[in-house]
Amino acid sequence: MRLLDIPTLLGTLGLLLPGCMSHEDMAMHDREAVVPPLIDFGSSSADFDAAPAEDTSATVGEVSFELEAREADVELADGKLVRLWTYNGALPGPTLEARVGDRVRVHLKNSLAVDTTIHWHGLRLPAEMDGVPGARPAIAPGEEFTYEFTATDAGTFWYHPHVSSDEQVERGLYGAIVVRDAGEPSVTSERVVVLDDVWLGEDEQLAPFSSTEAMIGRQGNVLLVNGRANPQLELSPGGLHRFRFVNAATARYFRLSLGETPFHVVGFDNGRLERPRQVEELLLVPGARADVLVESSAEAELTWKTLGYDRGHGTGEAPGGDLFKARLTGEPVEALALPEAFAAIEPVDDVARTRELVLRESMVMAGSHSGHGSSATGPTFSINDKVFPQGEEFSTVIGESEEWAIRNDTEMDHPFHLHGFRFQVVSEQGNAPAFLGYFDSINVPAQQTTTIRIPLEANPGTWMFHCHILEHAERGMMGTLHVAAE
Ligand code: C2O
Ligand code: CU
């Protein structure tokens, strides 16, 4: 295997392009191919919300849902039907709702032509229900499987396949999960907002998947909010409005902003913070969630946008764009006070083991084996110089806590995700974070180190950790944590 550093590679990539362009032309072509400019389809008149999944269980303390993975034409913008892979024909798939303590059953029928699974991103559940091929095989075309687990944490989660996840998620297989408990803040309105982007070609269908785009991750040319380009929302003026954001894009970082209007974060991936935090913008990396409250005043509308963000390799040159507008109409409602505090979070301080994870990227040149796909040439990503499926393997024991220093040795940011457990961030480039929270998906900026502590509270078994730029995970930036019962 011949490995080259990515910076070296950026120079050589032009050589892969056909024709007789000048070097500058090739660089341009390359750049455009990597981050396409956004297309504006105008505002969509479709319903804002993803449909909730119908609970078919008649028993209290149990919820049951039916999902079918199948192809469907989805109207991403008015009159623009795009062939996607969906759950129940919809993008996003139906929103699953449960209460803490509920037994959750999800029956999946695979009507796709390829194997698939469902991974329950962020939920703490038994390893054999995690939807990762290994503990049990993937679900073959025509087959069915019932996932079953107990909802243990209140928060916003999501579901997606864990087989060829870069392609399957990009094609539309994802949906949100909302788990509630007795401590929900009282609000005027509440919305689940699943963010994504797709790359449409000239025929206005999904552009073919290429190995060039895999290097920075596939960043699309149409921003999607609950499966629609630029949908509209109506809210009452006044009051307190809750938005549960999910980043389901394979690679795009959303840098959320309401322009001049500050907003309040009350929770991240795995539940609530100790108190609301006022911010002017918020970085939501692929896989991550944020629970946000907005005090709406007399303005006529609120526009959620994503600002440009430089996560390396030229991505900073792509401008942001509007995500959706909320028009404030009707009778003003009474102001609601922001909640003052939520439950205290115990810092994890008793660490049994420390580990270092070094993230690297390299290029496999033609004529060598990449171990992925059919392309002989393409980027490869590693953790501790090991490329999944020959990835890093850690072994540990349930009940202990671990500290992982994740060092990003590359020229771009990587969003790090761990299955099955929640963790706290204890330092970012040597600095203690300003607040405590529980996460499962966090950013590790280029050339920086983020240190996390993971209490291995429950659920022994084999768990994955990986970059949530899914093109990177599928090209090696993934490893395995074996947690023994004793
Ligand atoms: Cu949402 Cu292994 O990922
Ligand atoms: Cu990555």
PDB file of all heavy atoms in Angstrom, residues 3-26:
ATOM      1  N   LEU A   3       1.054   5.157   0.659  1.00  0.00           N
ATOM      2  CA  LEU A   3       0.286   6.221   1.299  1.00  0.00           C
ATOM      3  C   LEU A   3       0.971   7.559   1.096  1.00  0.00           C
ATOM      4  O   LEU A   3       2.176   7.680   1.236  1.00  0.00           O
ATOM      5  CB  LEU A   3       0.166   5.946   2.807  1.00  0.00           C
ATOM      6  CG  LEU A   3      -0.547   4.650   3.171  1.00  0.00           C
ATOM      7  CD1 LEU A   3      -0.533   4.446   4.678  1.00  0.00           C
ATOM      8  CD2 LEU A   3      -1.972   4.638   2.677  1.00  0.00           C
ATOM      9  N   LEU A   4       0.184   8.555   0.722  1.00  0.00           N
ATOM     10  CA  LEU A   4       0.704   9.908   0.571  1.00  0.00           C
ATOM     11  C   LEU A   4      -0.050  10.818   1.512  1.00  0.00           C
ATOM     12  O   LEU A   4      -1.216  10.587   1.779  1.00  0.00           O
ATOM     13  CB  LEU A   4       0.439  10.429  -0.848  1.00  0.00           C
ATOM     14  CG  LEU A   4       1.278   9.918  -2.001  1.00  0.00           C
ATOM     15  CD1 LEU A   4       0.889  10.690  -3.243  1.00  0.00           C
ATOM     16  CD2 LEU A   4       2.749  10.106  -1.719  1.00  0.00           C
ATOM     17  N   ASP A   5       0.604  11.870   1.966  1.00  0.00           N
ATOM     18  CA  ASP A   5      -0.122  12.848   2.767  1.00  0.00           C
ATOM     19  C   ASP A   5      -1.133  13.569   1.899  1.00  0.00           C
ATOM     20  O   ASP A   5      -0.879  13.790   0.724  1.00  0.00           O
ATOM     21  CB  ASP A   5       0.845  13.899   3.342  1.00  0.00           C
ATOM     22  CG  ASP A   5       1.625  13.299   4.485  1.00  0.00           C
ATOM     23  OD1 ASP A   5       1.209  12.218   4.946  1.00  0.00           O
ATOM     24  OD2 ASP A   5       2.637  13.892   4.877  1.00  0.00           O
ATOM     25  N   ILE A   6      -2.230  13.984   2.489  1.00  0.00           N
ATOM     26  CA  ILE A   6      -3.268  14.671   1.711  1.00  0.00           C
ATOM     27  C   ILE A   6      -2.759  15.967   1.064  1.00  0.00           C
ATOM     28  O   ILE A   6      -3.063  16.196  -0.101  1.00  0.00           O
ATOM     29  CB  ILE A   6      -4.514  14.928   2.570  1.00  0.00           C
ATOM     30  CG1 ILE A   6      -5.166  13.597   2.934  1.00  0.00           C
ATOM     31  CG2 ILE A   6      -5.514  15.834   1.853  1.00  0.00           C
ATOM     32  CD1 ILE A   6      -6.006  12.954   1.878  1.00  0.00           C
ATOM     33  N   PRO A   7      -1.968  16.792   1.750  1.00  0.00           N
ATOM     34  CA  PRO A   7      -1.528  18.024   1.074  1.00  0.00           C
ATOM     35  C   PRO A   7      -0.771  17.718  -0.221  1.00  0.00           C
ATOM     36  O   PRO A   7      -1.002  18.349  -1.244  1.00  0.00           O
ATOM     37  CB  PRO A   7      -0.631  18.703   2.112  1.00  0.00           C
ATOM     38  CG  PRO A   7      -1.102  18.168   3.424  1.00  0.00           C
ATOM     39  CD  PRO A   7      -1.573  16.761   3.148  1.00  0.00           C
ATOM     40  N   THR A   8       0.071  16.711  -0.197  1.00  0.00           N
ATOM     41  CA  THR A   8       0.801  16.306  -1.397  1.00  0.00           C
ATOM     42  C   THR A   8      -0.204  15.917  -2.464  1.00  0.00           C
ATOM     43  O   THR A   8      -0.093  16.242  -3.639  1.00  0.00           O
ATOM     44  CB  THR A   8       1.638  15.041  -1.103  1.00  0.00           C
ATOM     45  OG1 THR A   8       2.050  15.085   0.224  1.00  0.00           O
ATOM     46  CG2 THR A   8       2.763  14.883  -2.069  1.00  0.00           C
ATOM     47  N   LEU A   9      -1.194  15.203  -1.982  1.00  0.00           N
ATOM     48  CA  LEU A   9      -2.192  14.651  -2.864  1.00  0.00           C
ATOM     49  C   LEU A   9      -2.995  15.717  -3.587  1.00  0.00           C
ATOM     50  O   LEU A   9      -3.318  15.576  -4.756  1.00  0.00           O
ATOM     51  CB  LEU A   9      -3.129  13.830  -2.007  1.00  0.00           C
ATOM     52  CG  LEU A   9      -4.449  13.737  -2.657  1.00  0.00           C
ATOM     53  CD1 LEU A   9      -4.367  12.647  -3.617  1.00  0.00           C
ATOM     54  CD2 LEU A   9      -5.492  13.607  -1.673  1.00  0.00           C
ATOM     55  N   LEU A  10      -3.312  16.814  -2.875  1.00  0.00           N
ATOM     56  CA  LEU A  10      -4.144  17.838  -3.505  1.00  0.00           C
ATOM     57  C   LEU A  10      -3.501  18.298  -4.795  1.00  0.00           C
ATOM     58  O   LEU A  10      -4.178  18.574  -5.771  1.00  0.00           O
ATOM     59  CB  LEU A  10      -4.363  19.009  -2.548  1.00  0.00           C
ATOM     60  CG  LEU A  10      -5.432  18.714  -1.510  1.00  0.00           C
ATOM     61  CD1 LEU A  10      -5.490  19.819  -0.470  1.00  0.00           C
ATOM     62  CD2 LEU A  10      -6.792  18.525  -2.153  1.00  0.00           C
ATOM     63  N   GLY A  11      -2.169  18.345  -4.815  1.00  0.00           N
ATOM     64  CA  GLY A  11      -1.465  18.682  -6.039  1.00  0.00           C
ATOM     65  C   GLY A  11      -1.621  17.607  -7.106  1.00  0.00           C
ATOM     66  O   GLY A  11      -1.814  17.919  -8.275  1.00  0.00           O
ATOM     67  N   THR A  12      -1.594  16.354  -6.711  1.00  0.00           N
ATOM     68  CA  THR A  12      -1.597  15.268  -7.699  1.00  0.00           C
ATOM     69  C   THR A  12      -2.990  14.922  -8.191  1.00  0.00           C
ATOM     70  O   THR A  12      -3.129  14.323  -9.245  1.00  0.00           O
ATOM     71  CB  THR A  12      -0.999  13.978  -7.086  1.00  0.00           C
ATOM     72  OG1 THR A  12      -1.569  13.791  -5.818  1.00  0.00           O
ATOM     73  CG2 THR A  12       0.483  14.031  -6.995  1.00  0.00           C
ATOM     74  N   LEU A  13      -4.018  15.332  -7.440  1.00  0.00           N
ATOM     75  CA  LEU A  13      -5.374  14.920  -7.793  1.00  0.00           C
ATOM     76  C   LEU A  13      -5.744  15.316  -9.211  1.00  0.00           C
ATOM     77  O   LEU A  13      -6.443  14.580  -9.899  1.00  0.00           O
ATOM     78  CB  LEU A  13      -6.373  15.579  -6.851  1.00  0.00           C
ATOM     79  CG  LEU A  13      -7.119  14.654  -5.915  1.00  0.00           C
ATOM     80  CD1 LEU A  13      -8.220  15.443  -5.254  1.00  0.00           C
ATOM     81  CD2 LEU A  13      -7.668  13.438  -6.632  1.00  0.00           C
ATOM     82  N   GLY A  14      -5.289  16.506  -9.642  1.00  0.00           N
ATOM     83  CA  GLY A  14      -5.615  16.979 -10.970  1.00  0.00           C
ATOM     84  C   GLY A  14      -5.263  15.942 -12.034  1.00  0.00           C
ATOM     85  O   GLY A  14      -5.909  15.872 -13.069  1.00  0.00           O
ATOM     86  N   LEU A  15      -4.255  15.147 -11.766  1.00  0.00           N
ATOM     87  CA  LEU A  15      -3.800  14.155 -12.733  1.00  0.00           C
ATOM     88  C   LEU A  15      -4.865  13.115 -13.036  1.00  0.00           C
ATOM     89  O   LEU A  15      -4.804  12.436 -14.040  1.00  0.00           O
ATOM     90  CB  LEU A  15      -2.550  13.457 -12.194  1.00  0.00           C
ATOM     91  CG  LEU A  15      -1.364  14.385 -11.950  1.00  0.00           C
ATOM     92  CD1 LEU A  15      -0.235  13.627 -11.282  1.00  0.00           C
ATOM     93  CD2 LEU A  15      -0.900  15.013 -13.257  1.00  0.00           C
ATOM     94  N   LEU A  16      -5.822  13.005 -12.126  1.00  0.00           N
ATOM     95  CA  LEU A  16      -6.865  12.001 -12.331  1.00  0.00           C
ATOM     96  C   LEU A  16      -7.922  12.499 -13.309  1.00  0.00           C
ATOM     97  O   LEU A  16      -8.734  11.741 -13.789  1.00  0.00           O
ATOM     98  CB  LEU A  16      -7.562  11.691 -11.008  1.00  0.00           C
ATOM     99  CG  LEU A  16      -6.643  11.238  -9.886  1.00  0.00           C
ATOM    100  CD1 LEU A  16      -7.414  11.153  -8.600  1.00  0.00           C
ATOM    101  CD2 LEU A  16      -6.042   9.902 -10.262  1.00  0.00           C
ATOM    102  N   LEU A  17      -7.940  13.808 -13.527  1.00  0.00           N
ATOM    103  CA  LEU A  17      -9.007  14.361 -14.344  1.00  0.00           C
ATOM    104  C   LEU A  17      -8.692  14.193 -15.826  1.00  0.00           C
ATOM    105  O   LEU A  17      -7.556  14.338 -16.240  1.00  0.00           O
ATOM    106  CB  LEU A  17      -9.192  15.845 -14.017  1.00  0.00           C
ATOM    107  CG  LEU A  17      -9.605  16.100 -12.580  1.00  0.00           C
ATOM    108  CD1 LEU A  17      -9.492  17.580 -12.247  1.00  0.00           C
ATOM    109  CD2 LEU A  17     -11.015  15.611 -12.340  1.00  0.00           C
ATOM    110  N   PRO A  18      -9.706  13.896 -16.612  1.00  0.00           N
ATOM    111  CA  PRO A  18      -9.487  13.700 -18.041  1.00  0.00           C
ATOM    112  C   PRO A  18      -9.265  15.036 -18.750  1.00  0.00           C
ATOM    113  O   PRO A  18      -9.424  16.086 -18.159  1.00  0.00           O
ATOM    114  CB  PRO A  18     -10.803  13.074 -18.499  1.00  0.00           C
ATOM    115  CG  PRO A  18     -11.819  13.567 -17.519  1.00  0.00           C
ATOM    116  CD  PRO A  18     -11.102  13.779 -16.226  1.00  0.00           C
ATOM    117  N   GLY A  19      -8.908  14.980 -20.023  1.00  0.00           N
ATOM    118  CA  GLY A  19      -8.799  16.185 -20.839  1.00  0.00           C
ATOM    119  C   GLY A  19      -7.446  16.852 -20.691  1.00  0.00           C
ATOM    120  O   GLY A  19      -6.510  16.264 -20.147  1.00  0.00           O
ATOM    121  N   CYS A  20      -7.345  18.082 -21.191  1.00  0.00           N
ATOM    122  CA  CYS A  20      -6.044  18.743 -21.195  1.00  0.00           C
ATOM    123  C   CYS A  20      -6.168  20.127 -20.581  1.00  0.00           C
ATOM    124  O   CYS A  20      -5.838  21.121 -21.196  1.00  0.00           O
ATOM    125  CB  CYS A  20      -5.504  18.817 -22.613  1.00  0.00           C
ATOM    126  SG  CYS A  20      -6.731  19.453 -23.766  1.00  0.00           S
ATOM    127  N   MET A  21      -6.733  20.194 -19.376  1.00  0.00           N
ATOM    128  CA  MET A  21      -6.877  21.474 -18.706  1.00  0.00           C
ATOM    129  C   MET A  21      -5.531  21.947 -18.186  1.00  0.00           C
ATOM    130  O   MET A  21      -4.650  21.134 -17.923  1.00  0.00           O
ATOM    131  CB  MET A  21      -7.839  21.323 -17.526  1.00  0.00           C
ATOM    132  CG  MET A  21      -9.272  21.067 -17.950  1.00  0.00           C
ATOM    133  SD  MET A  21     -10.325  20.902 -16.515  1.00  0.00           S
ATOM    134  CE  MET A  21     -10.049  19.207 -16.082  1.00  0.00           C
ATOM    135  N   SER A  22      -5.407  23.258 -18.023  1.00  0.00           N
ATOM    136  CA  SER A  22      -4.197  23.784 -17.392  1.00  0.00           C
ATOM    137  C   SER A  22      -4.227  23.401 -15.919  1.00  0.00           C
ATOM    138  O   SER A  22      -5.262  22.989 -15.400  1.00  0.00           O
ATOM    139  CB  SER A  22      -4.181  25.307 -17.508  1.00  0.00           C
ATOM    140  OG  SER A  22      -5.144  25.851 -16.622  1.00  0.00           O
ATOM    141  N   HIS A  23      -3.096  23.610 -15.271  1.00  0.00           N
ATOM    142  CA  HIS A  23      -3.030  23.256 -13.862  1.00  0.00           C
ATOM    143  C   HIS A  23      -4.060  24.030 -13.042  1.00  0.00           C
ATOM    144  O   HIS A  23      -4.766  23.475 -12.223  1.00  0.00           O
ATOM    145  CB  HIS A  23      -1.622  23.499 -13.327  1.00  0.00           C
ATOM    146  CG  HIS A  23      -1.318  22.608 -12.171  1.00  0.00           C
ATOM    147  ND1 HIS A  23      -0.974  21.285 -12.333  1.00  0.00           N
ATOM    148  CD2 HIS A  23      -1.352  22.835 -10.852  1.00  0.00           C
ATOM    149  CE1 HIS A  23      -0.796  20.742 -11.148  1.00  0.00           C
ATOM    150  NE2 HIS A  23      -1.013  21.648 -10.221  1.00  0.00           N
ATOM    151  N   GLU A  24      -4.182  25.336 -13.341  1.00  0.00           N
ATOM    152  CA  GLU A  24      -5.166  26.173 -12.614  1.00  0.00           C
ATOM    153  C   GLU A  24      -6.581  25.679 -12.855  1.00  0.00           C
ATOM    154  O   GLU A  24      -7.379  25.602 -11.943  1.00  0.00           O
ATOM    155  CB  GLU A  24      -5.064  27.654 -13.037  1.00  0.00           C
ATOM    156  CG  GLU A  24      -3.921  28.398 -12.397  1.00  0.00           C
ATOM    157  CD  GLU A  24      -2.641  28.272 -13.200  1.00  0.00           C
ATOM    158  OE1 GLU A  24      -2.389  27.197 -13.812  1.00  0.00           O
ATOM    159  OE2 GLU A  24      -1.908  29.254 -13.225  1.00  0.00           O
ATOM    160  N   ASP A  25      -6.867  25.367 -14.123  1.00  0.00           N
ATOM    161  CA  ASP A  25      -8.203  24.862 -14.444  1.00  0.00           C
ATOM    162  C   ASP A  25      -8.502  23.614 -13.635  1.00  0.00           C
ATOM    163  O   ASP A  25      -9.591  23.435 -13.120  1.00  0.00           O
ATOM    164  CB  ASP A  25      -8.314  24.486 -15.931  1.00  0.00           C
ATOM    165  CG  ASP A  25      -8.466  25.726 -16.780  1.00  0.00           C
ATOM    166  OD1 ASP A  25      -8.698  26.798 -16.200  1.00  0.00           O
ATOM    167  OD2 ASP A  25      -8.335  25.605 -18.011  1.00  0.00           O
ATOM    168  N   MET A  26      -7.494  22.773 -13.549  1.00  0.00           N
ATOM    169  CA  MET A  26      -7.703  21.521 -12.828  1.00  0.00           C
ATOM    170  C   MET A  26      -7.973  21.803 -11.358  1.00  0.00           C
ATOM    171  O   MET A  26      -8.858  21.215 -10.770  1.00  0.00           O
ATOM    172  CB  MET A  26      -6.500  20.604 -12.992  1.00  0.00           C
ATOM    173  CG  MET A  26      -6.429  20.011 -14.385  1.00  0.00           C
ATOM    174  SD  MET A  26      -5.224  18.708 -14.493  1.00  0.00           S
ATOM    175  CE  MET A  26      -3.709  19.627 -14.467  1.00  0.00           C
TER     176      MET A  26
END
